[in-house]
Each structure stands twice: as C-alpha cells, then as structure tokens.
Amino acid sequence: MPAKGAHVAVTADVVVAGGGVIGSAIAWRAAAAGLDVVVVDPEHGDGASLVAAGMLAPASEALFGEGALLRVNLLALARFGSFAAELEEVTGCQVGLRREGTLAIAYDPGDYAALMRLTAFRRSAGLEAEELDRRACRKLESFLTPDVHGGVLFAGDWSVDNRRYAAALRAAMAAAKVRIVRDRATGVLAPDGRARGVALAGGGEISSAQVVVATGCGTSAVAGLPAPLRAAVRPVKGQLLRLRHPDGMPPVITHTIRATVRGADVYLVPRADGEVIVGATQEERGPDRTVTAGAVHDLLRDAMSVLPVTSELILAETCAGLRPGTPDNGPIVGGFGAGNGPGNGHGGLLVATGHYRNGILMSPVTADAIVAFLTGQPPAAEWEPFTPGRFAAGEGSR
C-alpha cells in the first residue's frame, strides 16, 4: 500500500519525485536494475499523462530547426515497441499500440502549400513521406470530406492509448515492488552538496543515495534545483476532447489524422475501443486547467471540417492538462556535470523533465538514460544536447 504523506520517514537507493509516465518508467526500470526505489507523487500519476493523445509521431511532428529533437525522438520510437512488449508481458495489460501511421491532411491550397514545405524538410531529414491527392486520401479514410485538398502519409508514426499505458506502468512498478508515497516533494536535500533525499510537503523526508526529479510542470516548485533550470520549465495548456462511437457504429478512422484547416492544426487519434481523441490546443496561460467553450468549439469545428461524421460521435469527455515546455522545446535529462558521458558526476541529483509534447514517446528512452546514470553507464549519444547544464551551468540553487 502507498505510504501516506504526513511525517513519512523512508530510506531508499533512489527517490523519484514525480509519478507521471516519465517518473513511472524510470522507477520501473530502476527497480528492474536492482535498485530500491520510492516514487513521490500526490496524484499517483494522474497529471499530464492522462490528458494526452498518445501520438508517437516523430515524422509528422518534425519541425524546422529541431534536428537534435528529431534524432532523440527517432531513438525513442525505435525503443518503444520492445519497451511496450515487455510492459505488456510483465503486467498482462494491453497498452493499445497502433502502427497504422499518420495521415496529414491539408484542407485548402494554403494549408497544402504549408504541408508541402514541411514535407520537403522532413524528407531531407530522411523521413518517409508519401504525397497523396484527395482521392488517395479518401481511399485510406473514406469519411474524409471530399473538399480535402490533399495530404501526406507518414507510415512510420505510431500511437498508444495513453491511459492504458500509464496504468500498465503503475502495474509494472507494483510488480517491481516500487514504493509509492502520496505526497509532493518540495525540495532536494543536499546538506553536504550532494543530494541525499527529498523533503515532503506533508512533513518528514525521504533519504536516498540518489534523487531523480521528474516533476514535469511542477519542476519550478522544487527547491534545491538551480534557479535557471526551475525557470526554464513552464506549463503549456492543452485542451482535448474524447469522443465515442454510438453503439453499432463502425470505426470512422483507422489512421491518426493531423489536419491543417485554414492555418489551424487539429488531430484525431483512433483507439481500439472505439474512442477518438480530438486535440489539442497550445495555450500560454500558466497553470490553468479549465476547459473553455471556445476551445471545444474550435476543435469540433476543425475536426468536422475534415471529417464531417465527427458530428455523429458522442462527446464523452472534455479535459485540459499542462505540458512541461522549455525555451527550446527540448527535454531536460541528466545530471549537472559538463556533459552526458560517463564520469561526469551528478552529485546524486538527476533531472528528467521538460518533455513538452513528447512525454509518452520519450518515456522509455528517458528511463534508459536515467538508469544508465544511476548505474554508472553512458546514456545514448542523442541525449547530449539536452543536459540540464544548457540552462543551469555555473548557476547556484535556491
């Protein structure tokens, strides 16, 4: 049973602050490596991980100027299949992994021109992209509007059911005997300059040989981290809709659809259980988790513009979450040495945060990287551009 927060006195090899998909994946893999692990999270992972579409889409999300991020995302996709298979084997839980690919749709000529510019860039990066006219798009997805201008199939993209995946990670932690403390880590304890545990909001502390901060948007509230690093992680609000097919209605889409409608982006992601996720807004509104009528209207309007049958689906849930964004859109993973190679001491303190739109996709390789640090091994070279030092080098903590 998870320990209650008040006046907890616990010791462990590793304490992981944060129980979302990043923290849960790290805790499971660290425990599987033989470490005694405690996870501290007041919500037991019911944060941004549960308000997501679960797209594993490095190709259709690749943007100009983000080459390093693309490389780590491709590493993440290559790892995800085996990680998910082991997760299902250990827990008996299905995570809803789908491999049909992403169909990017342009609604009008202006949208199509923008899509073609991105497609040329993505091909130049070695990504697979098949241009389709409107007839070919509708052959793949028959419910698309006849007005669609054209599209591109990114066959290498996948998706996963984010809620099933998060639940499987929690089951894997339980199977690996990871202990859960339902509380919030308010700060890193480092009495001699080396991390020795965390302080808890409910009183008491957890002593550990190493600390991993995986608190997402809550990173700014964790004392003991360098001030510039705390300031680098900000909440980016995202609102999405969960739709369901009425009884007896066949699935309306099989691919993930990413559409640009008069310059606005919307995506629709199918689930095996008949659910369709529609999302998502990107709003710089601080820690606001309210669902707004305007966002619901805009998402439904754009979804129905490309897939009119959306109007016949049941609006099952509206939700909003907070993505942990950073100034360069890249994650922050590693310790505070000069680099991410072996031999760079991290003072017992590691960070895994700032994954923005890619938390679920990156969770397996983030876990691999952090466990490498914990056990004195080198992480993959793709992580080198994403060290905490790019924000915190030479700065003190507070």
Side-chain angles (χ1 to χ4, degrees):
M1 292 293 291
K4 301 300 181 183
H7 303 293
V8 172
V10 182
T11 60
D13 294 330
V14 180
V15 58
V16 179
V21 292
I22 297 294
S24 296
I26 291 168
W28 172 42
R29 300 315 302 160
L35 298 171
D36 178 31
V37 182
V38 172
V39 169
V40 180
D41 192 303
E43 299 178 319
H44 198 37
D46 295 336
S49 306
L50 297 191
V51 186
M55 291 184 293
L56 313 175
S60 64
E61 291 192 345
L63 298 176
F64 299 106
E66 295 186 352
L69 182 59
L70 173 60
R71 287 188 287 275
V72 79
N73 279 340
L74 290 173
L75 177 72
L77 186 67
R79 174 70 170 104
F80 205 95
S82 60
F83 186 91
E86 184 176 356
L87 187 58
E88 291 183 337
E89 181 179 359
V90 166
T91 65
C93 301
Q94 297 298 306
V95 301
L97 187 62
R98 300 179 65 119
R99 296 177 168 89
E100 289 89 346
T102 297
L103 179 59
I105 294 296
Y107 183 73
D108 65 21
D111 300 329
Y112 188 74
L115 176 59
M116 289 302 100
R117 287 193 294 272
L118 276 172
T119 299
F121 158 70
R122 290 162 181 167
R123 281 180 170 154
S124 72
L127 301 174
E128 180 183 359
E130 179 185 359
E131 293 180 32
L132 304 173
D133 62 18
R134 71 180 64 187
R135 179 173 297 188
C137 290
R138 297 192 71 221
K139 186 175 181 180
L140 283 180
E141 295 293 351
S142 60
F143 286 104
L144 286 171
T145 177
D147 297 331
V148 66
H149 195 79
V152 176
L153 177 63
F154 296 95
D157 284 355
W158 297 353
S159 69
V160 70
D161 188 321
N162 60 304
R163 295 188 175 183
R164 291 175 182 265
Y165 179 66
L169 284 171
R170 290 195 293 268
M173 286 196 296
K177 302 188 184 314
V178 173
R179 291 172 286 164
I180 309 293
V181 172
R182 297 289 186 86
D183 206 334
R184 180 172 60 86
T186 58
V188 177
L189 302 173
D192 56 359
R194 178 179 177 83
R196 302 290 183 182
V198 298
L200 303 176
E205 59 189 43
I206 299 176
S207 299
S208 62
Q210 302 187 86
V211 174
V212 180
V213 176
T215 45
C217 291
T219 301
S220 62
V222 180
L225 297 178
L229 187 145
R230 294 172 65 188
V233 182
R234 73 190 192 282
V236 181
K237 180 181 178 180
Q239 301 185 57
L240 58 78
L241 316 175
R242 308 183 82 88
L243 309 181
R244 287 198 168 277
H245 294 74
D247 290 343
M249 185 178 187
V252 296
I253 55 173
T254 56
H255 299 77
T256 292
I257 294 176
R258 300 185 68 97
T260 306
V261 182
R262 304 179 190 93
D265 295 326
V266 66
Y267 57 70
L268 299 95
V269 185
R271 297 280 192 257
D273 63 1
E275 193 172 66
V276 176
I277 310 302
V278 179
T281 66
Q282 296 186 54
E283 306 168 54
E284 300 283 353
R285 295 186 178 274
D288 171 25
R289 298 186 188 223
T290 59
V291 175
T292 63
V296 174
H297 169 272
D298 292 349
L299 289 171
L300 288 175
R301 178 199 62 204
D302 293 340
M304 287 187 285
S305 293
V306 294
L307 196 75
V309 73
T310 302
S311 64
E312 300 180 28
L313 303 182
I314 298 166
L315 180 57
E317 183 181 352
T318 61
C319 46
L322 302 175
R323 310 177 187 93
T326 63
D328 59 9
N329 293 335
I332 306 172
V333 174
F336 296 90
N340 262 344
N344 288 306
H346 52 76
L349 176 61
L350 295 164
V351 176
T353 187
H355 291 78
Y356 194 28
R357 302 184 306 264
N358 298 302
I360 291 176
L361 170 63
M362 287 190 185
S363 53
V365 288
T366 299
D368 290 346
I370 294 297
V371 172
F373 281 116
L374 292 172
T375 56
Q377 303 299 314
E382 287 84 349
W383 286 110
E384 183 63 33
F386 301 107
T387 67
R390 72 189 194 277
F391 298 119
E395 299 285 348
S397 61
R398 69 181 183 196

